[in-house]
């Protein structure tokens, strides 16, 4: 269905589910960062706190990268074409 796709450029459309999934993954990746404020107060050893912080960092960047991959260049082109956005 044409309604479920977004025209990124002439002759090329991107499935809407990819864009929405990508944006959701990017938002989730940003939601991990406020959790870093809690890590120092956890009742664990310093080693475990470092492991948790490192895991959070890696998971956050993995989610962000997957989101950018899914939303991709076509999403940015679509947003850029809309008046008054950027």
């Amino acid at each position: 269905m044409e309604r479920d796709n977004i025209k990124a450029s002439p002759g090329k459309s991107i499935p809407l589910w990819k864009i929405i999934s990508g944006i959701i993954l990017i938002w989730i990746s940003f939601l991990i960062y406020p959790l870093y404020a809690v890590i120092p107060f956890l009742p664990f050893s310093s080693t475990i706190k470092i492991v948790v912080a490192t895991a959070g960092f890696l998971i956050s960047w993995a989610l962000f990268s997957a989101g950018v991959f899914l939303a991709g260049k076509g999403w940015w082109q679509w947003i850029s074409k809309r008046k008054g956005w950027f």
Side-chain angles (χ1 to χ4, degrees):
M1 289 171 71
E2 187 62 34
R3 192 182 109 211
D4 292 336
N5 294 327
I6 292 179
K7 288 275 191 197
S9 59
K12 184 179 180 185
S13 63
I14 299 165
L16 188 60
W17 70 267
K18 276 186 154 185
I19 293 172
I20 292 172
S21 299
I23 293 170
I24 289 170
L25 288 174
I26 291 169
W27 272 101
I28 292 171
S29 76
F30 285 125
L31 292 176
I32 291 174
Y33 283 102
L35 298 176
Y36 285 131
V38 176
I39 292 173
F41 302 107
L42 293 175
F44 302 115
S45 69
S46 295
T47 305
I48 292 177
K49 291 177 186 179
I50 291 170
V51 169
V52 169
T54 303
F57 176 80
L58 294 174
I59 290 169
S60 176
W61 274 101
L63 289 172
F64 183 80
S65 299
V68 168
F69 176 76
L70 284 175
K73 183 178 177 182
W75 172 73
W76 180 253
Q77 290 173 347
W78 180 73
I79 290 291
S80 298
K81 289 179 186 177
R82 300 184 66 82
K83 300 277 187 223
W85 281 71
F86 297 102

